[in-house]
Amino acid sequence: MSSREVVVLSVGGVRFVTRASTLQQFPESRLARMLNDDDWEFKLVNGEFFVDRDGALFSYIMDFLRTLQISLPADFSDYQRLQREAEFYGLYPLADLLSQEHLLKPRLEILEVRFSLQEMQAFFRIFGSCSTTIEALAEQITVFTGQQSGQGWNSPFPSQKPLIPLPLERPSHHDVVFLCGTEYSAGDQFVARYVSIKPDNRKLINGTNVLGLLLDMILKDGFRLISTRTVASEEKVECYTFERMKRAAGLTITVNQTLGSSGVACARRSQVQKGK
């Protein structure tokens, strides 16, 4: 029976088709022993192994055996039941991982945008609980600077003078600071700062327009707005707070093969993020 390439299982009425080698990933598990007719719990009926267990949860067992990773939906909550199923099948590295729910549960990510308008300049500060998100935002935002003559917020910028991109201020890994608008320079010259936010190619100098584009980009990235408030200070600062549920990264099981499935197992986070 262990030489069969294709194996069919009926778990709680749900049918699964897989390779024998997949079920033998952990040689000491009950699924591996099943192929040698070495476990009474698994009944062979009309060429299919029948198991009186939860079929829906077994789909996660199969995914684990195929990939040696565990990635669960954001709304998954049956950690104890799935752990019990893993123990039933003798998949103890998986059971050990499921006992550490904090590694698998989705986490709440917070993003805060602060906006202040002062005369002809607009100031922005973005703070995020996830530094990776802040890094991604910083790559999408570019500030361009140059000099122009005349006065006024909407003064046209001479096309013959190219704009120079500036690096964004990064006070820490968790925030980014930039500004746009105009400010006095020598004589009748003004320094103008424009903001471009990918994938939009426009260069905007009006702070209100930049704010609208920035908030729209954040919403499209999967965040939802949960609060707006004005910070009480000498300068009015508008504060917009966003949140999103971030799925845990996939976890990979590594087993000391010299000791078999009862040996030392360790879990490490996969470098590939499983969704946002």
Side-chain angles (χ1 to χ4, degrees), residues 139-179:
E139 291 178 359
Q140 292 177 266
I141 300 171
T142 306
V143 175
F144 296 89
T145 186
Q147 286 200 345
Q148 66 181 72
S149 299
Q151 298 181 357
W153 181 274
N154 295 311
S155 299
F157 194 86
S159 59
Q160 66 270 22
K161 293 185 178 180
L163 298 177
I164 302 172
L166 293 177
L168 299 181
E169 293 183 47
R170 296 296 307 276
S172 74
H173 292 295
H174 288 274
D175 55 355
V176 59
V177 177
F178 63 95
L179 62 91

Side-chain angles (χ1 to χ4, degrees), residues 39-232:
D39 197 306
W40 60 269
E41 189 74 37
F42 301 88
K43 306 295 183 182
L44 189 60
V45 180
N46 297 325
E48 299 182 6
F49 286 100
F50 174 76
V51 191
D52 189 18
R53 302 293 295 191
D54 191 306
L57 291 178
F58 190 72
S59 64
Y60 299 113
I61 300 287
M62 283 304 309
D63 182 62
F64 169 74
L65 290 173
R66 287 166 175 153
T67 65
L68 292 185
Q69 293 186 357
I70 180 68
S71 298
L72 303 172
D75 59 351
F76 187 83
S77 59
D78 289 336
Y79 294 95
Q80 291 185 348
R81 290 183 60 210
L82 185 55
Q83 180 184 351
R84 188 166 63 242
E85 293 300 294
E87 291 172 347
F88 170 81
Y89 292 108
L91 297 171
Y92 297 108
L94 175 58
D96 291 342
L97 179 58
L98 288 166
S99 68
Q100 305 176 61
E101 294 183 24
H102 64 282
L103 294 177
L104 300 170
K105 285 184 175 179
R107 298 180 180 182
L108 186 65
E109 182 179 354
I110 299 295
L111 193 69
E112 184 177 275
V113 176
R114 294 198 170 200
F115 170 70
S116 175
L117 193 60
Q118 302 171 27
E119 297 182 351
M120 293 187 296
Q121 289 184 298
F123 297 83
F124 294 84
R125 183 164 192 163
I126 308 173
F127 173 84
S129 59
C130 176
S131 60
T132 303
T133 297
I134 295 298
E135 292 287 348
L137 286 174
E139 291 178 359
Q140 292 177 266
I141 300 171
T142 306
V143 175
F144 296 89
T145 186
Q147 286 200 345
Q148 66 181 72
S149 299
Q151 298 181 357
W153 181 274
N154 295 311
S155 299
F157 194 86
S159 59
Q160 66 270 22
K161 293 185 178 180
L163 298 177
I164 302 172
L166 293 177
L168 299 181
E169 293 183 47
R170 296 296 307 276
S172 74
H173 292 295
H174 288 274
D175 55 355
V176 59
V177 177
F178 63 95
L179 62 91
C180 64
T182 58
E183 62 182 349
Y184 284 106
S185 181
D188 63 346
Q189 297 291 309
F190 280 77
V191 174
R193 286 185 173 85
Y194 294 79
V195 174
S196 179
I197 302 177
K198 296 178 182 179
D200 194 299
N201 293 319
R202 292 173 296 171
K203 295 179 177 64
L204 304 175
I205 196 171
N206 185 296
T208 302
N209 293 340
V210 173
L211 176 65
L213 184 59
L214 176 62
L215 299 185
D216 183 61
M217 179 189 68
I218 292 172
L219 291 171
K220 288 180 178 178
D221 196 35
F223 286 90
R224 68 184 187 96
L225 181 65
I226 59 173
S227 72
T228 60
R229 70 184 190 277
T230 300
V231 180

